[in-house]
Amino acid sequence: MNFVCENCGYESSKWLGRCPVCGSWNALREMRESVKKEERKGLLVNLAEIKEEKEERLKTDIEEFDRVLGGGLVKGSLVLIGGEPGIGKSTLSLQISLMLINKGFKVLYVSSEENPSQIKIRYNRLSLCLKVNYEKFYLLFSSDLEEIVSQIERIKPDVVIVDSIQTIEDKRIPSVAGSVTQVREVTLTLLNLAKEKSFPIIIISHVTKQGLIAGPKVLEHMVDVVLYFEGDINTDYRILRCEKNRFGPANEIGIFEMQEFGLQEVKNPNFLFLPHLREEVFGLTFVPLSEGRRIIVTEIQCLATPTYFPYPQRVVQGFDIRRLSILLSVLDIQANINIGRYDIYLNVAGSLYIKENACDLGIVCAITSAIKKTPIKKLTCFLGEVGLLGEIRPVSLVRERVKEAQKLGFNRIILPKENIPIFFEEGLEVIPVSSLKEVFEILDFDKGR
Ligand code: TYD
Ligand code: MG
């Protein structure tokens, strides 16, 4: 007998109230042994004997989706799409089905959450601009794994979509649908089926912030591709993020906008996250952020208000708060700014999340500009990691970032000296810097109030 954490997949031989790895309470569930223990024979081969097979891919022609997958759905692969309820997973998977049917593929859509009329309404809404051949579209309303498998055998589809994995049940296992045991076993069966019959299966999975339902974390190592559909439910923008891909680059993102008639691709995200290059205001900087192979120039806003309390507020959106503390300490010591006297509110525009240090300089300058109430000259971009000694360290993908910023009309870029020399187009003022002190002199921060 084994216990598994529903949140992070940690396994333990005894029950624990709190998971020692992710710290969530009451998340360990009993996992019964697999019903069938098929014997698997090992295989010993010499690398030279293995024939290289180029993987066959089905393109959906939803470019943002195909690109995130590395060029389309690989035959025989199992793709997991995870996301919070209401984010648009069913909408996306129905749109994928429509595009595939339109291209002549046979699709089996297994739905165990919605009823036929709900699907039909959504289908009509999404297929307004498409002439779709209904006959190639099979819908199965069932949560019984056995039935799903037998229908797959009968229909022989080119693609299967299962919405959602948490509601599918293998009757031979004595635990309820959605439990770790069920989710694992069902996924394993589907995985074997996909490999055996060589068609792709997309499985949808809910994640809740509390990790109450067996989350995709326990499935991540089993499937070939892990995609997360993210975004703020209150805004229309959705980001499809690739966390793992056995057939292509990970970390790739696709951007969509939820509209009345489904998800629309956003091909040039820069105009989305950079709605208007504002007038010169203080507390505002721009950074070319790298998301996978894509560069997005985004806006960083900061507000600094004097505080009279011993514990100043640090409110951040879209950036790691611990990294912010480090940068604030650097400002305190290296730039002699009494940071403890201010409440700091920092926001990265467009519900993006900055994970890389290459944007440090932009963040530090936004904060300083807010504190000193000194605006930064329009059309300036920032690039550089800030070290603990106030030094500006080199970053990756400089040429791509600079090119993208220039394409958008930025004409001045402040970047690490160590990243020079690089080739630049004309009309761009490149300012190489090696320390915060230099940057602040260039930006006239010391003249500020
Ligand atoms: P849904 O795909 O059902 O989310 P999930 O499967 O992840 O739970 O989509 C949820 C939201 O999307 C719902 O609130 C309505 C909205 N939506 C649109 O705005 N436009 C559309 O064309 C469709 C189909 C849905
Ligand atoms: Mg759904």
Side-chain angles (χ1 to χ4, degrees), residues 256-277:
F256 296 89
E257 188 177 357
M258 180 64 94
Q259 291 180 355
E260 202 183 335
F261 301 108
L263 291 155
Q264 301 298 319
E265 298 174 62
V266 177
K267 300 236 168 88
N268 189 351
N270 278 309
F271 291 103
L272 190 90
F273 298 113
L274 219 61
H276 31 83
L277 292 174

PDB file of all heavy atoms in Angstrom, residues 256-277:
ATOM      1  N   PHE A 256      -3.468  33.443 -26.939  1.00  0.00           N
ATOM      2  CA  PHE A 256      -4.817  33.481 -27.486  1.00  0.00           C
ATOM      3  C   PHE A 256      -5.627  34.576 -26.816  1.00  0.00           C
ATOM      4  O   PHE A 256      -5.299  35.021 -25.720  1.00  0.00           O
ATOM      5  CB  PHE A 256      -5.532  32.151 -27.239  1.00  0.00           C
ATOM      6  CG  PHE A 256      -4.905  30.978 -27.923  1.00  0.00           C
ATOM      7  CD1 PHE A 256      -3.916  30.251 -27.301  1.00  0.00           C
ATOM      8  CD2 PHE A 256      -5.309  30.602 -29.194  1.00  0.00           C
ATOM      9  CE1 PHE A 256      -3.332  29.155 -27.931  1.00  0.00           C
ATOM     10  CE2 PHE A 256      -4.740  29.518 -29.830  1.00  0.00           C
ATOM     11  CZ  PHE A 256      -3.744  28.793 -29.201  1.00  0.00           C
ATOM     12  N   GLU A 257      -6.696  34.938 -27.480  1.00  0.00           N
ATOM     13  CA  GLU A 257      -7.617  35.880 -26.881  1.00  0.00           C
ATOM     14  C   GLU A 257      -9.001  35.233 -26.916  1.00  0.00           C
ATOM     15  O   GLU A 257      -9.438  34.757 -27.957  1.00  0.00           O
ATOM     16  CB  GLU A 257      -7.606  37.177 -27.702  1.00  0.00           C
ATOM     17  CG  GLU A 257      -8.376  38.279 -27.037  1.00  0.00           C
ATOM     18  CD  GLU A 257      -8.296  39.583 -27.827  1.00  0.00           C
ATOM     19  OE1 GLU A 257      -7.598  39.636 -28.853  1.00  0.00           O
ATOM     20  OE2 GLU A 257      -8.973  40.533 -27.407  1.00  0.00           O
ATOM     21  N   MET A 258      -9.681  35.206 -25.768  1.00  0.00           N
ATOM     22  CA  MET A 258     -11.006  34.595 -25.722  1.00  0.00           C
ATOM     23  C   MET A 258     -12.029  35.608 -26.224  1.00  0.00           C
ATOM     24  O   MET A 258     -12.182  36.674 -25.645  1.00  0.00           O
ATOM     25  CB  MET A 258     -11.322  34.171 -24.287  1.00  0.00           C
ATOM     26  CG  MET A 258     -12.664  33.521 -24.097  1.00  0.00           C
ATOM     27  SD  MET A 258     -12.876  31.966 -24.956  1.00  0.00           S
ATOM     28  CE  MET A 258     -12.428  30.778 -23.700  1.00  0.00           C
ATOM     29  N   GLN A 259     -12.672  35.253 -27.315  1.00  0.00           N
ATOM     30  CA  GLN A 259     -13.669  36.169 -27.859  1.00  0.00           C
ATOM     31  C   GLN A 259     -15.032  35.498 -27.901  1.00  0.00           C
ATOM     32  O   GLN A 259     -15.187  34.354 -27.504  1.00  0.00           O
ATOM     33  CB  GLN A 259     -13.242  36.624 -29.251  1.00  0.00           C
ATOM     34  CG  GLN A 259     -12.028  37.524 -29.170  1.00  0.00           C
ATOM     35  CD  GLN A 259     -11.574  38.010 -30.520  1.00  0.00           C
ATOM     36  OE1 GLN A 259     -12.108  37.595 -31.538  1.00  0.00           O
ATOM     37  NE2 GLN A 259     -10.590  38.880 -30.521  1.00  0.00           N
ATOM     38  N   GLU A 260     -15.975  36.214 -28.434  1.00  0.00           N
ATOM     39  CA  GLU A 260     -17.339  35.698 -28.455  1.00  0.00           C
ATOM     40  C   GLU A 260     -17.438  34.373 -29.217  1.00  0.00           C
ATOM     41  O   GLU A 260     -18.180  33.480 -28.856  1.00  0.00           O
ATOM     42  CB  GLU A 260     -18.233  36.740 -29.114  1.00  0.00           C
ATOM     43  CG  GLU A 260     -19.664  36.590 -28.743  1.00  0.00           C
ATOM     44  CD  GLU A 260     -20.503  37.612 -29.477  1.00  0.00           C
ATOM     45  OE1 GLU A 260     -19.960  38.669 -29.863  1.00  0.00           O
ATOM     46  OE2 GLU A 260     -21.669  37.330 -29.690  1.00  0.00           O
ATOM     47  N   PHE A 261     -16.654  34.269 -30.298  1.00  0.00           N
ATOM     48  CA  PHE A 261     -16.700  33.051 -31.092  1.00  0.00           C
ATOM     49  C   PHE A 261     -15.435  32.232 -30.920  1.00  0.00           C
ATOM     50  O   PHE A 261     -14.811  31.800 -31.866  1.00  0.00           O
ATOM     51  CB  PHE A 261     -16.955  33.381 -32.564  1.00  0.00           C
ATOM     52  CG  PHE A 261     -18.239  34.117 -32.754  1.00  0.00           C
ATOM     53  CD1 PHE A 261     -18.251  35.455 -33.072  1.00  0.00           C
ATOM     54  CD2 PHE A 261     -19.452  33.475 -32.542  1.00  0.00           C
ATOM     55  CE1 PHE A 261     -19.441  36.147 -33.207  1.00  0.00           C
ATOM     56  CE2 PHE A 261     -20.643  34.158 -32.668  1.00  0.00           C
ATOM     57  CZ  PHE A 261     -20.645  35.497 -33.000  1.00  0.00           C
ATOM     58  N   GLY A 262     -15.053  32.050 -29.687  1.00  0.00           N
ATOM     59  CA  GLY A 262     -13.939  31.173 -29.396  1.00  0.00           C
ATOM     60  C   GLY A 262     -12.608  31.883 -29.250  1.00  0.00           C
ATOM     61  O   GLY A 262     -12.535  33.103 -29.185  1.00  0.00           O
ATOM     62  N   LEU A 263     -11.569  31.054 -29.215  1.00  0.00           N
ATOM     63  CA  LEU A 263     -10.228  31.597 -28.983  1.00  0.00           C
ATOM     64  C   LEU A 263      -9.610  32.052 -30.300  1.00  0.00           C
ATOM     65  O   LEU A 263      -9.620  31.302 -31.280  1.00  0.00           O
ATOM     66  CB  LEU A 263      -9.354  30.505 -28.361  1.00  0.00           C
ATOM     67  CG  LEU A 263      -9.728  30.116 -26.946  1.00  0.00           C
ATOM     68  CD1 LEU A 263      -9.264  28.696 -26.631  1.00  0.00           C
ATOM     69  CD2 LEU A 263      -9.119  31.076 -25.954  1.00  0.00           C
ATOM     70  N   GLN A 264      -9.093  33.250 -30.308  1.00  0.00           N
ATOM     71  CA  GLN A 264      -8.410  33.759 -31.494  1.00  0.00           C
ATOM     72  C   GLN A 264      -6.920  33.777 -31.211  1.00  0.00           C
ATOM     73  O   GLN A 264      -6.507  34.096 -30.109  1.00  0.00           O
ATOM     74  CB  GLN A 264      -8.870  35.195 -31.820  1.00  0.00           C
ATOM     75  CG  GLN A 264     -10.342  35.337 -32.067  1.00  0.00           C
ATOM     76  CD  GLN A 264     -10.804  34.521 -33.260  1.00  0.00           C
ATOM     77  OE1 GLN A 264     -10.128  34.472 -34.273  1.00  0.00           O
ATOM     78  NE2 GLN A 264     -11.929  33.860 -33.125  1.00  0.00           N
ATOM     79  N   GLU A 265      -6.142  33.475 -32.252  1.00  0.00           N
ATOM     80  CA  GLU A 265      -4.696  33.504 -32.051  1.00  0.00           C
ATOM     81  C   GLU A 265      -4.204  34.944 -31.987  1.00  0.00           C
ATOM     82  O   GLU A 265      -4.707  35.789 -32.706  1.00  0.00           O
ATOM     83  CB  GLU A 265      -3.988  32.831 -33.219  1.00  0.00           C
ATOM     84  CG  GLU A 265      -4.336  31.390 -33.369  1.00  0.00           C
ATOM     85  CD  GLU A 265      -3.729  30.821 -34.627  1.00  0.00           C
ATOM     86  OE1 GLU A 265      -2.494  30.809 -34.720  1.00  0.00           O
ATOM     87  OE2 GLU A 265      -4.483  30.418 -35.510  1.00  0.00           O
ATOM     88  N   VAL A 266      -3.216  35.164 -31.140  1.00  0.00           N
ATOM     89  CA  VAL A 266      -2.602  36.490 -31.102  1.00  0.00           C
ATOM     90  C   VAL A 266      -1.213  36.332 -31.687  1.00  0.00           C
ATOM     91  O   VAL A 266      -0.328  35.772 -31.055  1.00  0.00           O
ATOM     92  CB  VAL A 266      -2.529  37.033 -29.659  1.00  0.00           C
ATOM     93  CG1 VAL A 266      -1.833  38.382 -29.621  1.00  0.00           C
ATOM     94  CG2 VAL A 266      -3.921  37.146 -29.080  1.00  0.00           C
ATOM     95  N   LYS A 267      -1.046  36.767 -32.934  1.00  0.00           N
ATOM     96  CA  LYS A 267       0.221  36.480 -33.622  1.00  0.00           C
ATOM     97  C   LYS A 267       1.310  37.464 -33.246  1.00  0.00           C
ATOM     98  O   LYS A 267       2.475  37.131 -33.224  1.00  0.00           O
ATOM     99  CB  LYS A 267      -0.001  36.502 -35.134  1.00  0.00           C
ATOM    100  CG  LYS A 267      -1.016  35.459 -35.577  1.00  0.00           C
ATOM    101  CD  LYS A 267      -0.424  34.547 -36.627  1.00  0.00           C
ATOM    102  CE  LYS A 267      -1.297  33.349 -36.873  1.00  0.00           C
ATOM    103  NZ  LYS A 267      -2.315  33.523 -37.855  1.00  0.00           N
ATOM    104  N   ASN A 268       0.937  38.699 -32.990  1.00  0.00           N
ATOM    105  CA  ASN A 268       1.958  39.657 -32.582  1.00  0.00           C
ATOM    106  C   ASN A 268       1.641  40.182 -31.188  1.00  0.00           C
ATOM    107  O   ASN A 268       0.965  41.183 -31.028  1.00  0.00           O
ATOM    108  CB  ASN A 268       2.039  40.803 -33.582  1.00  0.00           C
ATOM    109  CG  ASN A 268       3.241  41.665 -33.287  1.00  0.00           C
ATOM    110  OD1 ASN A 268       3.901  41.495 -32.250  1.00  0.00           O
ATOM    111  ND2 ASN A 268       3.535  42.607 -34.159  1.00  0.00           N
ATOM    112  N   PRO A 269       2.141  39.454 -30.176  1.00  0.00           N
ATOM    113  CA  PRO A 269       1.755  39.783 -28.804  1.00  0.00           C
ATOM    114  C   PRO A 269       2.253  41.135 -28.335  1.00  0.00           C
ATOM    115  O   PRO A 269       1.754  41.678 -27.372  1.00  0.00           O
ATOM    116  CB  PRO A 269       2.378  38.669 -27.980  1.00  0.00           C
ATOM    117  CG  PRO A 269       3.476  38.148 -28.802  1.00  0.00           C
ATOM    118  CD  PRO A 269       3.097  38.349 -30.221  1.00  0.00           C
ATOM    119  N   ASN A 270       3.259  41.675 -29.012  1.00  0.00           N
ATOM    120  CA  ASN A 270       3.817  42.931 -28.520  1.00  0.00           C
ATOM    121  C   ASN A 270       2.803  44.045 -28.451  1.00  0.00           C
ATOM    122  O   ASN A 270       2.820  44.863 -27.558  1.00  0.00           O
ATOM    123  CB  ASN A 270       4.977  43.354 -29.390  1.00  0.00           C
ATOM    124  CG  ASN A 270       6.223  42.631 -28.962  1.00  0.00           C
ATOM    125  OD1 ASN A 270       6.565  42.636 -27.796  1.00  0.00           O
ATOM    126  ND2 ASN A 270       6.852  41.954 -29.874  1.00  0.00           N
ATOM    127  N   PHE A 271       1.892  44.051 -29.399  1.00  0.00           N
ATOM    128  CA  PHE A 271       0.913  45.125 -29.403  1.00  0.00           C
ATOM    129  C   PHE A 271      -0.115  44.941 -28.292  1.00  0.00           C
ATOM    130  O   PHE A 271      -0.855  45.836 -27.951  1.00  0.00           O
ATOM    131  CB  PHE A 271       0.265  45.230 -30.779  1.00  0.00           C
ATOM    132  CG  PHE A 271       1.255  45.727 -31.780  1.00  0.00           C
ATOM    133  CD1 PHE A 271       1.849  44.871 -32.670  1.00  0.00           C
ATOM    134  CD2 PHE A 271       1.635  47.053 -31.762  1.00  0.00           C
ATOM    135  CE1 PHE A 271       2.809  45.329 -33.552  1.00  0.00           C
ATOM    136  CE2 PHE A 271       2.592  47.519 -32.640  1.00  0.00           C
ATOM    137  CZ  PHE A 271       3.181  46.660 -33.544  1.00  0.00           C
ATOM    138  N   LEU A 272      -0.111  43.739 -27.769  1.00  0.00           N
ATOM    139  CA  LEU A 272      -1.043  43.422 -26.713  1.00  0.00           C
ATOM    140  C   LEU A 272      -0.522  43.898 -25.358  1.00  0.00           C
ATOM    141  O   LEU A 272      -1.236  44.482 -24.562  1.00  0.00           O
ATOM    142  CB  LEU A 272      -1.139  41.908 -26.704  1.00  0.00           C
ATOM    143  CG  LEU A 272      -2.157  41.239 -25.905  1.00  0.00           C
ATOM    144  CD1 LEU A 272      -3.358  41.084 -26.787  1.00  0.00           C
ATOM    145  CD2 LEU A 272      -1.645  39.856 -25.558  1.00  0.00           C
ATOM    146  N   PHE A 273       0.760  43.628 -25.150  1.00  0.00           N
ATOM    147  CA  PHE A 273       1.329  43.958 -23.853  1.00  0.00           C
ATOM    148  C   PHE A 273       1.893  45.371 -23.835  1.00  0.00           C
ATOM    149  O   PHE A 273       2.402  45.832 -22.844  1.00  0.00           O
ATOM    150  CB  PHE A 273       2.395  42.941 -23.483  1.00  0.00           C
ATOM    151  CG  PHE A 273       1.829  41.568 -23.368  1.00  0.00           C
ATOM    152  CD1 PHE A 273       2.176  40.572 -24.248  1.00  0.00           C
ATOM    153  CD2 PHE A 273       0.885  41.291 -22.394  1.00  0.00           C
ATOM    154  CE1 PHE A 273       1.619  39.312 -24.150  1.00  0.00           C
ATOM    155  CE2 PHE A 273       0.326  40.032 -22.291  1.00  0.00           C
ATOM    156  CZ  PHE A 273       0.696  39.046 -23.175  1.00  0.00           C
ATOM    157  N   LEU A 274       1.830  46.009 -24.959  1.00  0.00           N
ATOM    158  CA  LEU A 274       2.393  47.348 -25.079  1.00  0.00           C
ATOM    159  C   LEU A 274       1.351  48.228 -25.732  1.00  0.00           C
ATOM    160  O   LEU A 274       1.527  48.675 -26.836  1.00  0.00           O
ATOM    161  CB  LEU A 274       3.607  47.247 -25.996  1.00  0.00           C
ATOM    162  CG  LEU A 274       4.823  48.059 -25.674  1.00  0.00           C
ATOM    163  CD1 LEU A 274       5.364  47.672 -24.334  1.00  0.00           C
ATOM    164  CD2 LEU A 274       5.853  47.845 -26.740  1.00  0.00           C
ATOM    165  N   PRO A 275       0.221  48.434 -25.079  1.00  0.00           N
ATOM    166  CA  PRO A 275      -0.904  49.050 -25.771  1.00  0.00           C
ATOM    167  C   PRO A 275      -0.581  50.440 -26.309  1.00  0.00           C
ATOM    168  O   PRO A 275      -0.945  50.783 -27.396  1.00  0.00           O
ATOM    169  CB  PRO A 275      -1.997  49.114 -24.713  1.00  0.00           C
ATOM    170  CG  PRO A 275      -1.371  48.730 -23.431  1.00  0.00           C
ATOM    171  CD  PRO A 275      -0.028  48.187 -23.682  1.00  0.00           C
ATOM    172  N   HIS A 276       0.144  51.188 -25.557  1.00  0.00           N
ATOM    173  CA  HIS A 276       0.458  52.531 -26.024  1.00  0.00           C
ATOM    174  C   HIS A 276       1.767  52.924 -25.365  1.00  0.00           C
ATOM    175  O   HIS A 276       1.969  52.720 -24.171  1.00  0.00           O
ATOM    176  CB  HIS A 276      -0.638  53.508 -25.615  1.00  0.00           C
ATOM    177  CG  HIS A 276      -1.280  53.119 -24.329  1.00  0.00           C
ATOM    178  ND1 HIS A 276      -0.744  53.434 -23.116  1.00  0.00           N
ATOM    179  CD2 HIS A 276      -2.380  52.357 -24.058  1.00  0.00           C
ATOM    180  CE1 HIS A 276      -1.495  52.919 -22.158  1.00  0.00           C
ATOM    181  NE2 HIS A 276      -2.491  52.242 -22.702  1.00  0.00           N
ATOM    182  N   LEU A 277       2.661  53.408 -26.139  1.00  0.00           N
ATOM    183  CA  LEU A 277       3.900  53.888 -25.552  1.00  0.00           C
ATOM    184  C   LEU A 277       3.578  55.231 -24.931  1.00  0.00           C
ATOM    185  O   LEU A 277       3.365  56.212 -25.620  1.00  0.00           O
ATOM    186  CB  LEU A 277       4.968  54.004 -26.623  1.00  0.00           C
ATOM    187  CG  LEU A 277       5.418  52.658 -27.169  1.00  0.00           C
ATOM    188  CD1 LEU A 277       6.365  52.849 -28.322  1.00  0.00           C
ATOM    189  CD2 LEU A 277       6.083  51.839 -26.093  1.00  0.00           C
TER     190      LEU A 277
END
